[in-house]
mmCIF file of all heavy atoms in Angstrom:
data_model
loop_
_atom_site.group_PDB
_atom_site.id
_atom_site.type_symbol
_atom_site.label_atom_id
_atom_site.label_comp_id
_atom_site.label_asym_id
_atom_site.label_seq_id
_atom_site.Cartn_x
_atom_site.Cartn_y
_atom_site.Cartn_z
ATOM 1 N N ASP C 1 -70.646 69.238 -3.173
ATOM 2 C CA ASP C 1 -70.103 68.580 -4.343
ATOM 3 C C ASP C 1 -70.810 67.242 -4.639
ATOM 4 O O ASP C 1 -70.930 66.856 -5.797
ATOM 5 C CB ASP C 1 -68.573 68.302 -4.111
ATOM 6 C CG ASP C 1 -67.786 69.590 -4.190
ATOM 7 O OD1 ASP C 1 -68.278 70.595 -4.713
ATOM 8 O OD2 ASP C 1 -66.643 69.551 -3.660
ATOM 9 N N SER C 2 -71.275 66.581 -3.594
ATOM 10 C CA SER C 2 -71.845 65.281 -3.784
ATOM 11 C C SER C 2 -73.207 65.303 -4.529
ATOM 12 O O SER C 2 -73.693 64.230 -4.965
ATOM 13 C CB SER C 2 -72.038 64.601 -2.431
ATOM 14 O OG SER C 2 -72.857 65.368 -1.571
ATOM 15 N N VAL C 3 -73.843 66.447 -4.599
ATOM 16 C CA VAL C 3 -75.118 66.561 -5.228
ATOM 17 C C VAL C 3 -75.154 67.431 -6.468
ATOM 18 O O VAL C 3 -76.172 67.559 -7.184
ATOM 19 C CB VAL C 3 -76.210 67.017 -4.252
ATOM 20 C CG1 VAL C 3 -76.230 66.174 -2.992
ATOM 21 C CG2 VAL C 3 -76.053 68.525 -3.895
ATOM 22 N N LYS C 4 -74.010 68.106 -6.776
ATOM 23 C CA LYS C 4 -73.985 68.987 -7.954
ATOM 24 C C LYS C 4 -74.334 68.205 -9.222
ATOM 25 O O LYS C 4 -73.863 67.092 -9.452
ATOM 26 C CB LYS C 4 -72.558 69.570 -8.066
ATOM 27 C CG LYS C 4 -72.345 70.732 -7.140
ATOM 28 C CD LYS C 4 -70.917 71.363 -7.308
ATOM 29 C CE LYS C 4 -70.645 72.450 -6.353
ATOM 30 N NZ LYS C 4 -69.283 72.972 -6.529
ATOM 31 N N GLY C 5 -75.214 68.824 -10.007
ATOM 32 C CA GLY C 5 -75.589 68.212 -11.263
ATOM 33 C C GLY C 5 -76.779 67.277 -11.101
ATOM 34 O O GLY C 5 -77.371 66.846 -12.107
ATOM 35 N N ARG C 6 -77.137 66.938 -9.880
ATOM 36 C CA ARG C 6 -78.271 66.055 -9.640
ATOM 37 C C ARG C 6 -79.369 66.715 -8.875
ATOM 38 O O ARG C 6 -80.585 66.389 -9.129
ATOM 39 C CB ARG C 6 -77.777 64.830 -8.809
ATOM 40 C CG ARG C 6 -76.677 63.996 -9.494
ATOM 41 C CD ARG C 6 -76.459 62.689 -8.711
ATOM 42 N NE ARG C 6 -75.970 62.972 -7.377
ATOM 43 C CZ ARG C 6 -76.583 62.495 -6.275
ATOM 44 N NH1 ARG C 6 -77.680 61.765 -6.358
ATOM 45 N NH2 ARG C 6 -76.031 62.702 -5.056
ATOM 46 N N PHE C 7 -79.053 67.627 -7.969
ATOM 47 C CA PHE C 7 -80.072 68.314 -7.176
ATOM 48 C C PHE C 7 -80.226 69.763 -7.624
ATOM 49 O O PHE C 7 -79.193 70.386 -7.995
ATOM 50 C CB PHE C 7 -79.714 68.272 -5.668
ATOM 51 C CG PHE C 7 -79.799 66.961 -5.041
ATOM 52 C CD1 PHE C 7 -79.932 65.792 -5.742
ATOM 53 C CD2 PHE C 7 -79.640 66.869 -3.643
ATOM 54 C CE1 PHE C 7 -79.975 64.536 -5.122
ATOM 55 C CE2 PHE C 7 -79.695 65.625 -2.969
ATOM 56 C CZ PHE C 7 -79.869 64.483 -3.732
ATOM 57 N N THR C 8 -81.401 70.307 -7.484
ATOM 58 C CA THR C 8 -81.642 71.714 -7.808
ATOM 59 C C THR C 8 -82.495 72.322 -6.738
ATOM 60 O O THR C 8 -83.561 71.810 -6.391
ATOM 61 C CB THR C 8 -82.365 71.869 -9.135
ATOM 62 O OG1 THR C 8 -81.581 71.279 -10.199
ATOM 63 C CG2 THR C 8 -82.568 73.372 -9.480
ATOM 64 N N ILE C 9 -81.995 73.442 -6.138
ATOM 65 C CA ILE C 9 -82.767 74.118 -5.145
ATOM 66 C C ILE C 9 -83.454 75.337 -5.807
ATOM 67 O O ILE C 9 -82.866 76.002 -6.680
ATOM 68 C CB ILE C 9 -81.868 74.577 -3.972
ATOM 69 C CG1 ILE C 9 -82.749 75.154 -2.842
ATOM 70 C CG2 ILE C 9 -80.812 75.541 -4.379
ATOM 71 C CD1 ILE C 9 -81.950 75.372 -1.523
ATOM 72 N N SER C 10 -84.654 75.675 -5.376
ATOM 73 C CA SER C 10 -85.352 76.825 -5.937
ATOM 74 C C SER C 10 -86.308 77.350 -4.873
ATOM 75 O O SER C 10 -86.552 76.663 -3.882
ATOM 76 C CB SER C 10 -86.138 76.429 -7.215
ATOM 77 O OG SER C 10 -87.113 75.456 -6.947
ATOM 78 N N ARG C 11 -86.868 78.520 -5.130
ATOM 79 C CA ARG C 11 -87.806 79.067 -4.174
ATOM 80 C C ARG C 11 -88.878 79.788 -4.891
ATOM 81 O O ARG C 11 -88.714 80.351 -6.004
ATOM 82 C CB ARG C 11 -87.069 80.036 -3.202
ATOM 83 C CG ARG C 11 -86.458 81.274 -3.852
ATOM 84 C CD ARG C 11 -85.530 82.003 -2.851
ATOM 85 N NE ARG C 11 -86.274 82.508 -1.690
ATOM 86 C CZ ARG C 11 -85.721 82.885 -0.570
ATOM 87 N NH1 ARG C 11 -84.359 82.752 -0.399
ATOM 88 N NH2 ARG C 11 -86.437 83.337 0.427
ATOM 89 N N ASP C 12 -90.054 79.836 -4.232
ATOM 90 C CA ASP C 12 -91.210 80.574 -4.743
ATOM 91 C C ASP C 12 -91.629 81.514 -3.630
ATOM 92 O O ASP C 12 -92.302 81.072 -2.686
ATOM 93 C CB ASP C 12 -92.343 79.625 -5.166
ATOM 94 C CG ASP C 12 -93.505 80.325 -5.805
ATOM 95 O OD1 ASP C 12 -93.679 81.541 -5.549
ATOM 96 O OD2 ASP C 12 -94.266 79.644 -6.524
ATOM 97 N N ASN C 13 -91.251 82.747 -3.701
ATOM 98 C CA ASN C 13 -91.531 83.685 -2.622
ATOM 99 C C ASN C 13 -93.015 83.956 -2.442
ATOM 100 O O ASN C 13 -93.500 84.281 -1.333
ATOM 101 C CB ASN C 13 -90.798 85.012 -2.809
ATOM 102 C CG ASN C 13 -89.292 84.853 -2.676
ATOM 103 O OD1 ASN C 13 -88.815 83.944 -2.009
ATOM 104 N ND2 ASN C 13 -88.547 85.731 -3.317
ATOM 105 N N ALA C 14 -93.780 83.838 -3.526
ATOM 106 C CA ALA C 14 -95.212 84.054 -3.434
ATOM 107 C C ALA C 14 -95.905 82.973 -2.655
ATOM 108 O O ALA C 14 -96.955 83.149 -2.098
ATOM 109 C CB ALA C 14 -95.851 84.123 -4.827
ATOM 110 N N LYS C 15 -95.259 81.809 -2.591
ATOM 111 C CA LYS C 15 -95.827 80.651 -1.817
ATOM 112 C C LYS C 15 -95.054 80.362 -0.528
ATOM 113 O O LYS C 15 -95.342 79.360 0.105
ATOM 114 C CB LYS C 15 -95.844 79.420 -2.726
ATOM 115 C CG LYS C 15 -96.739 79.495 -3.949
ATOM 116 C CD LYS C 15 -96.720 78.217 -4.711
ATOM 117 C CE LYS C 15 -97.695 78.319 -5.945
ATOM 118 N NZ LYS C 15 -97.680 77.057 -6.739
ATOM 119 N N ASN C 16 -94.127 81.186 -0.209
ATOM 120 C CA ASN C 16 -93.295 80.994 0.996
ATOM 121 C C ASN C 16 -92.669 79.606 1.025
ATOM 122 O O ASN C 16 -92.618 78.924 2.073
ATOM 123 C CB ASN C 16 -94.148 81.183 2.269
ATOM 124 C CG ASN C 16 -94.420 82.642 2.519
ATOM 125 O OD1 ASN C 16 -94.082 83.504 1.752
ATOM 126 N ND2 ASN C 16 -95.044 82.885 3.674
ATOM 127 N N THR C 17 -92.223 79.103 -0.112
ATOM 128 C CA THR C 17 -91.792 77.729 -0.237
ATOM 129 C C THR C 17 -90.413 77.623 -0.932
ATOM 130 O O THR C 17 -90.149 78.369 -1.882
ATOM 131 C CB THR C 17 -92.814 76.952 -1.067
ATOM 132 O OG1 THR C 17 -94.078 77.005 -0.434
ATOM 133 C CG2 THR C 17 -92.416 75.469 -1.187
ATOM 134 N N VAL C 18 -89.594 76.749 -0.416
ATOM 135 C CA VAL C 18 -88.355 76.403 -1.029
ATOM 136 C C VAL C 18 -88.451 74.896 -1.407
ATOM 137 O O VAL C 18 -89.034 74.100 -0.699
ATOM 138 C CB VAL C 18 -87.153 76.665 -0.087
ATOM 139 C CG1 VAL C 18 -87.194 75.814 1.168
ATOM 140 C CG2 VAL C 18 -85.804 76.393 -0.842
ATOM 141 N N TYR C 19 -87.848 74.551 -2.566
ATOM 142 C CA TYR C 19 -87.914 73.223 -3.089
ATOM 143 C C TYR C 19 -86.538 72.642 -3.275
ATOM 144 O O TYR C 19 -85.509 73.378 -3.424
ATOM 145 C CB TYR C 19 -88.582 73.244 -4.474
ATOM 146 C CG TYR C 19 -89.953 73.819 -4.529
ATOM 147 C CD1 TYR C 19 -90.145 75.180 -4.864
ATOM 148 C CD2 TYR C 19 -91.089 73.060 -4.131
ATOM 149 C CE1 TYR C 19 -91.425 75.727 -4.895
ATOM 150 C CE2 TYR C 19 -92.344 73.655 -4.200
ATOM 151 C CZ TYR C 19 -92.535 74.935 -4.536
ATOM 152 O OH TYR C 19 -93.762 75.520 -4.554
ATOM 153 N N LEU C 20 -86.478 71.308 -3.221
ATOM 154 C CA LEU C 20 -85.250 70.572 -3.596
ATOM 155 C C LEU C 20 -85.622 69.490 -4.518
ATOM 156 O O LEU C 20 -86.245 68.475 -4.104
ATOM 157 C CB LEU C 20 -84.566 70.044 -2.326
ATOM 158 C CG LEU C 20 -83.207 69.428 -2.590
ATOM 159 C CD1 LEU C 20 -82.227 70.482 -3.015
ATOM 160 C CD2 LEU C 20 -82.682 68.659 -1.373
ATOM 161 N N GLN C 21 -85.303 69.688 -5.783
ATOM 162 C CA GLN C 21 -85.498 68.680 -6.815
ATOM 163 C C GLN C 21 -84.297 67.726 -6.755
ATOM 164 O O GLN C 21 -83.181 68.178 -6.966
ATOM 165 C CB GLN C 21 -85.684 69.331 -8.195
ATOM 166 C CG GLN C 21 -85.671 68.334 -9.323
ATOM 167 C CD GLN C 21 -86.974 67.605 -9.440
ATOM 168 O OE1 GLN C 21 -88.037 68.149 -9.525
ATOM 169 N NE2 GLN C 21 -86.898 66.244 -9.476
ATOM 170 N N MET C 22 -84.555 66.468 -6.550
ATOM 171 C CA MET C 22 -83.472 65.505 -6.453
ATOM 172 C C MET C 22 -83.641 64.438 -7.549
ATOM 173 O O MET C 22 -84.654 63.718 -7.603
ATOM 174 C CB MET C 22 -83.536 64.807 -5.090
ATOM 175 C CG MET C 22 -83.479 65.816 -3.952
ATOM 176 S SD MET C 22 -83.295 65.014 -2.343
ATOM 177 C CE MET C 22 -84.915 64.167 -2.223
ATOM 178 N N ASN C 23 -82.657 64.390 -8.398
ATOM 179 C CA ASN C 23 -82.637 63.412 -9.550
ATOM 180 C C ASN C 23 -81.512 62.491 -9.389
ATOM 181 O O ASN C 23 -80.539 62.727 -8.613
ATOM 182 C CB ASN C 23 -82.546 64.175 -10.874
ATOM 183 C CG ASN C 23 -83.724 65.065 -11.090
ATOM 184 O OD1 ASN C 23 -84.859 64.838 -10.748
ATOM 185 N ND2 ASN C 23 -83.460 66.183 -11.828
ATOM 186 N N SER C 24 -81.547 61.373 -10.148
ATOM 187 C CA SER C 24 -80.513 60.379 -10.141
ATOM 188 C C SER C 24 -80.109 60.039 -8.722
ATOM 189 O O SER C 24 -78.914 59.974 -8.400
ATOM 190 C CB SER C 24 -79.266 60.907 -10.911
ATOM 191 O OG SER C 24 -79.615 61.252 -12.239
ATOM 192 N N LEU C 25 -81.053 59.741 -7.905
ATOM 193 C CA LEU C 25 -80.776 59.431 -6.492
ATOM 194 C C LEU C 25 -79.988 58.169 -6.327
ATOM 195 O O LEU C 25 -80.113 57.169 -7.064
ATOM 196 C CB LEU C 25 -82.083 59.375 -5.702
ATOM 197 C CG LEU C 25 -82.718 60.711 -5.435
ATOM 198 C CD1 LEU C 25 -84.240 60.580 -5.094
ATOM 199 C CD2 LEU C 25 -81.991 61.395 -4.298
ATOM 200 N N LYS C 26 -79.134 58.172 -5.305
ATOM 201 C CA LYS C 26 -78.208 57.077 -4.990
ATOM 202 C C LYS C 26 -78.539 56.624 -3.543
ATOM 203 O O LYS C 26 -79.045 57.430 -2.710
ATOM 204 C CB LYS C 26 -76.760 57.564 -5.073
ATOM 205 C CG LYS C 26 -76.379 58.212 -6.366
ATOM 206 C CD LYS C 26 -74.947 58.687 -6.289
ATOM 207 C CE LYS C 26 -74.542 59.392 -7.649
ATOM 208 N NZ LYS C 26 -73.159 59.924 -7.587
ATOM 209 N N PRO C 27 -78.183 55.406 -3.224
ATOM 210 C CA PRO C 27 -78.361 54.935 -1.880
ATOM 211 C C PRO C 27 -77.737 55.812 -0.811
ATOM 212 O O PRO C 27 -78.251 56.007 0.311
ATOM 213 C CB PRO C 27 -77.770 53.530 -1.891
ATOM 214 C CG PRO C 27 -77.941 53.082 -3.295
ATOM 215 C CD PRO C 27 -77.731 54.349 -4.122
ATOM 216 N N GLU C 28 -76.598 56.417 -1.117
ATOM 217 C CA GLU C 28 -75.900 57.309 -0.229
ATOM 218 C C GLU C 28 -76.605 58.621 0.018
ATOM 219 O O GLU C 28 -76.198 59.388 0.842
ATOM 220 C CB GLU C 28 -74.462 57.555 -0.648
ATOM 221 C CG GLU C 28 -74.304 58.017 -2.036
ATOM 222 C CD GLU C 28 -73.980 56.851 -2.993
ATOM 223 O OE1 GLU C 28 -74.603 55.764 -2.921
ATOM 224 O OE2 GLU C 28 -73.081 57.070 -3.860
ATOM 225 N N ASP C 29 -77.667 58.886 -0.724
ATOM 226 C CA ASP C 29 -78.510 60.072 -0.474
ATOM 227 C C ASP C 29 -79.527 59.814 0.650
ATOM 228 O O ASP C 29 -80.245 60.747 1.063
ATOM 229 C CB ASP C 29 -79.250 60.471 -1.725
ATOM 230 C CG ASP C 29 -78.320 60.971 -2.824
ATOM 231 O OD1 ASP C 29 -77.351 61.719 -2.531
ATOM 232 O OD2 ASP C 29 -78.531 60.571 -4.009
#
């Protein structure tokens, strides 16, 4: 709940990679 709307997780199976896009970062992150 604390990151909904700010963080996005995604994956690229061709690159064996998972990403975490973090926006509007706060000190508590």
Side-chain angles (χ1 to χ4, degrees):
D1 287 343
S2 59
V3 307
K4 281 182 181 177
R6 300 189 297 123
F7 290 11
T8 302
I9 189 170
S10 62
R11 64 191 297 161
D12 185 337
N13 290 338
K15 296 183 178 180
N16 285 5
T17 302
V18 62
Y19 303 96
L20 186 66
Q21 171 74 53
M22 304 186 294
N23 298 327
S24 302
L25 283 161
K26 305 175 181 180
E28 51 263 43
D29 294 317

